[in-house]
Every structure is written in C-alpha cells, then in structure tokens.
Amino acid sequence: MKSINYNGAIYVNGDREGLLLLGLSEGEADTVMLAFAKADAEQFRDELLRVAAIRIAPLQDAVDLGKATDAEVALLKAWKEYRIDVGRIAEQVGYPSNIIWPEQPA
C-alpha cells in the first residue's frame, strides 16, 4: 500500500481518475500521481542498492585481503559502477515517470 501526503490530505493507492473524483484539480491529481511515481522509483532504487551492497561486500573483502582474482576485481568494479548508475536515476530526463534502469553485472 502506498500513501502520499498532499496539502494536508493523505491519498492511498490513488489513480488519477479516482483523485479527480475526490475533487482534486487535474494539476493536483498530476502532482499526486507524480509523487506516487517518485515513491515507487525510490523504493525500487533502494532495493537495487541493497542487492548491490550484498554483491559488493564479499568482493571488496577479497580485494582488501589481497585474495581477489582478476575476475573478482573486474566484477567488483562493475558492481560499483552499477551502484553509482542506480544512485543517479533521479538525474535522468523523464524521472520519475520514465526511468531506464541499469542492468546488473553478470
């Protein structure tokens, strides 16, 4: 369940048509829907960042202890680049409605 606080009112799992039926103007409904899209994007971003942290940790340990293979060093770099790209999704044109999510390293 999602909820958005807009102008002192809380909207839960809203859709644009439902918001208009509640008496919001088209501009207000669009603002609320944009807030829902942003909340969804941030939640998914955070989920991807958690996965990246789990993948990075053992690779970083191997590098720190001098036990990493060349393949592990390359994979660590790829995961760190991925994590940076995921963290920068808000800089994309069209955010939060149209996001091109980076692909996870193989």
Side-chain angles (χ1 to χ4, degrees), residues 2 8 24 27 33 35 38 45 54 59 62 68 70 74 78 88 93 106:
K2 302 178 294 183
L24 272 68
M33 292 309 298
K38 184 178 178 194
R45 177 206 59 208
I54 290 167
L59 295 168
D70 289 344
R88 291 181 177 168
V93 174

Side-chain angles (χ1 to χ4, degrees), residues 37-91:
K38 184 178 178 194
D40 284 345
E42 289 172 351
Q43 182 178 5
F44 189 60
R45 177 206 59 208
D46 292 349
E47 198 173 301
L48 295 178
L49 290 173
R50 280 190 290 278
V51 169
I54 290 167
R55 300 294 184 263
I56 288 169
L59 295 168
Q60 187 65 58
D61 291 346
V63 168
D64 292 348
L65 295 173
K67 295 183 175 187
T69 65
D70 289 344
E72 288 172 326
V73 171
L75 188 55
L76 175 61
K77 181 180 179 193
W79 273 106
K80 286 184 173 185
E81 288 173 346
Y82 168 80
R83 184 166 58 178
I84 290 168
D85 292 342
V86 169
R88 291 181 177 168
I89 59 147
E91 297 172 14

